Amino acid sequence: MAPPRNTWFSLALDTMRLGLEAQTVVNLRLMKFATFGPGAIGEAERMISEKMEAAMQVQAQLLTSALSGSAHLAPARTVAHYRRRVRANVRRLAK
């Protein structure tokens, strides 16, 4: 039998990973902006629209969690949502 999982510890680790992955995205974007390449302006616009879209999606997800009686899962779901978005940015920017 597997040992019980400490959900708070797991959430803390996932949050830490999110921070590290987000820092990678910041560094990759700064390198793109510093080169003044053709995609720099588009990346800045994309960055803002992605942040607004992700925030709206998380708000809807939080509301759904609260209304369905699973509000206790909202923090982990929020971190997981942002981690997926950040990892997608890392893959796209690292090309």
Side-chain angles (χ1 to χ4, degrees), residues 13-78:
L13 285 177
D14 283 344
T15 304
M16 183 182 69
R17 289 182 191 116
L18 172 61
L20 293 172
E21 292 164 348
Q23 187 60 47
T24 301
V25 171
V26 169
N27 289 333
L28 290 168
R29 281 185 169 149
L30 284 175
M31 286 190 293
K32 187 169 200 140
F33 296 154
T35 62
F36 298 109
I41 292 174
E43 183 62 33
E45 292 170 350
R46 181 180 186 150
M47 176 179 65
I48 293 168
S49 65
E50 281 180 347
K51 288 180 186 296
M52 291 172 32
E53 181 183 338
M56 287 187 293
Q57 288 174 347
V58 165
Q59 285 178 346
Q61 188 178 38
L62 291 173
L63 181 61
T64 303
S65 292
L67 293 176
S68 68
S70 57
H72 63 286
L73 299 175
R77 288 178 178 170
T78 300

